[in-house]
Amino acid sequence: ALWTVDVRDSTFANVVSDARRSLERATGDDVAWIPRTLTDELTLHTEVCTDVDVIAERLERARTMTPNPAHAERRVGLDLVAGMPFAGTGYTWNDAEGLTSAAIVTVTAAAAEMAEHCLDLGDVEGVFWATGQGLLVLPGHEELISLRMRAHAAEGDLAGEWAGQGRDQPV
């Protein structure tokens, strides 16, 4: 799944061994993050997760919290966003599995919820930060841009107010 061409078993084994060593060095644990098997199956320890898993978990937790802790919970998740999912990898399996779309939906939802909360607090800088994180994964996302325009309106930019409310400007 990682290569578009067949690779030798030894190449695959070397890559997996490098991943095992990297996980062990990064954590300092003797945990079998990628257990050795005598089959073609590659399993991961149940505690191995992606940044998107962390963002989704934080978003779900935030939805059950009072506003201030929820705000912090979303921010921790959104701090993990660095750009478009799988950018520069050339993988095709992630799109076939719907992973890219799921990641984008998760991040933009978290960004929109945080931006809405920031608007409610009058935290314009927070709106721009949250929407900026969401726009890293999907530039041009309409809801996030609308939230930015509402933040501009909160700062007195009337063009932002009209665009953020979805109404036509008077002529």
Side-chain angles (χ1 to χ4, degrees), residues 3 5 38 44 76 84 109 113 115 117 119 121 133 139 150 168:
W3 292 277
V5 296
L38 299 175
L44 300 176
V76 169
M84 297 179 80
E113 285 185 26
H117 182 250
L119 273 174
L121 296 175
Q133 292 301 98
R150 288 173 54 199
D168 293 329

Side-chain angles (χ1 to χ4, degrees), residues 20-99:
R20 279 189 186 106
R21 282 190 297 275
S22 295
L23 283 166
E24 288 167 10
R25 268 195 310 271
T27 63
D29 295 333
D30 287 334
V31 174
W33 297 109
I34 306 174
R36 286 170 174 69
T37 65
L38 299 175
T39 68
D40 289 339
E41 245 179 75
L42 184 65
T43 58
L44 300 176
H45 190 281
T46 57
E47 290 187 30
V48 174
C49 66
T50 67
D51 290 350
V52 176
D53 295 328
V54 173
I55 294 167
E57 181 182 306
R58 298 262 179 185
L59 179 59
E60 283 305 310
R61 223 179 335 190
R63 289 175 175 160
T64 64
M65 298 174 143
T66 58
N68 288 339
H71 182 75
E73 197 70 19
R74 286 185 200 99
R75 184 170 189 103
V76 169
L78 287 172
D79 267 334
L80 298 172
V81 177
M84 297 179 80
F86 301 99
T89 62
Y91 298 145
T92 55
W93 55 266
N94 51 304
D95 289 326
E97 296 293 321
L99 298 176

Side-chain angles (χ1 to χ4, degrees), residues 109-162:
E113 285 185 26
M114 182 173 176
E116 286 280 358
H117 182 250
C118 289
L119 273 174
D120 292 343
L121 296 175
D123 177 7
V124 172
E125 186 177 310
V127 173
F128 289 121
W129 182 85
T131 56
Q133 292 301 98
L135 291 169
L136 286 174
V137 299
L138 187 60
H141 186 275
E142 291 180 15
E143 181 182 8
L144 296 176
I145 291 173
S146 175
L147 288 163
R148 289 175 80 89
M149 297 306 289
R150 288 173 54 199
H152 280 294
E155 290 189 316
D157 179 348
L158 296 182
E161 179 180 28
W162 287 99

